[in-house]
Amino acid sequence: MTVDLFAGIAVRDYAAAAAWYERLLGAPPSFLPNDTEAVWELAEHRYVFIEVRPDHAGHALHTVFVSDFDARVAQIAERGLEPAERETYDNGVRKATFRDPDGNEIGFGGGPV
């Protein structure tokens, strides 16, 4: 059985959000379903998308757990984005939280060092 996941993020300004997510994710969208949405494939069958929905913008909370946490955060920094917050939990799990122009939170998590 195949399961596809699409995690949506409401935004106010399509152009500003699309540019920001290209910097965060390091690539242009995988596809554009219409004039108000952009979709990035993070891994096979796992997608994140932005959609212009001004009344709902700023409330997303997503975390993507990655095996290359340190490299990923460093690559994002090279593209000009720094985490708004960094955390290390008692069990050693780490998280870097980024906030898009609308305040949506996109975190990257990684296992203990």
Side-chain angles (χ1 to χ4, degrees), residues 4-107:
D4 288 3
L5 172 67
F6 285 83
I9 302 166
V11 300
R12 288 180 182 85
D13 181 321
Y14 177 85
W20 190 88
Y21 281 93
E22 280 190 36
R23 287 182 23 217
L24 180 73
L25 300 172
S30 302
F31 61 94
L32 303 169
N34 55 54
D35 292 345
T36 63
E37 293 180 76
V39 181
W40 286 263
E41 185 173 23
L42 302 180
E44 188 175 12
H45 304 290
R46 294 164 186 91
Y47 303 87
V48 65
F49 69 95
I50 60 168
E51 180 178 5
V52 176
R53 296 182 70 188
D55 292 343
H56 299 281
H59 300 288
L61 299 168
H62 297 302
T63 300
V64 180
F65 207 86
V66 295
S67 60
D68 63 344
F69 177 81
D70 292 318
R72 180 79 51 121
V73 174
Q75 291 166 353
I76 294 168
E78 289 172 6
R79 295 190 292 271
L81 298 177
E82 291 291 333
E85 193 175 324
R86 288 179 178 259
E87 300 172 85
T88 301
Y89 300 103
D90 291 341
N91 63 359
V93 169
R94 297 163 295 149
K95 183 178 178 185
T97 301
F98 297 84
R99 289 193 180 87
D100 76 6
D102 290 305
N104 293 303
E105 293 185 10
I106 309 300

